[in-house]
Amino acid sequence: MNAPSGTLLVFATNPDNVAADGAGRNGAYTKHLLHYITQPGLEVGMMLRQIRTAVKAETGANKCRGRMGQWRRILF
């Protein structure tokens, strides 16, 4: 994939896996994304780490084996 410079891509699961659907309207990742994205002043990297922690707590550690790259700057 060739994304423009500065593009941030996040996925609900690792390659060749299926994201947990959950019991509600959204899957676990989307549910927590919708919660944390509304937090004022929360830096994007911290938001993604909080989402990851919440998804791990809800679905089990084996659902979050991915890694995060380094940020070139702080994003809000």
Side-chain angles (χ1 to χ4, degrees), residues 27-63:
Y29 184 86
T30 302
K31 177 177 90 173
H32 294 292
L33 172 65
L34 291 172
H35 170 76
Y36 285 106
I37 205 166
T38 62
Q39 305 298 313
L42 184 60
E43 186 265 325
V44 173
M46 178 59 71
M47 178 190 72
L48 294 174
R49 287 187 294 276
Q50 289 180 335
I51 293 168
R52 180 180 174 157
T53 299
V55 170
K56 285 175 75 170
E58 182 174 328
T59 64
N62 61 338
K63 297 286 183 188

Side-chain angles (χ1 to χ4, degrees), residues 3-28:
S5 177
T7 300
L8 173 67
L9 298 173
V10 295
F11 298 93
T13 189
N14 295 318
D16 300 321
N17 286 320
V18 177
D21 284 335
R25 177 179 173 187
N26 299 305

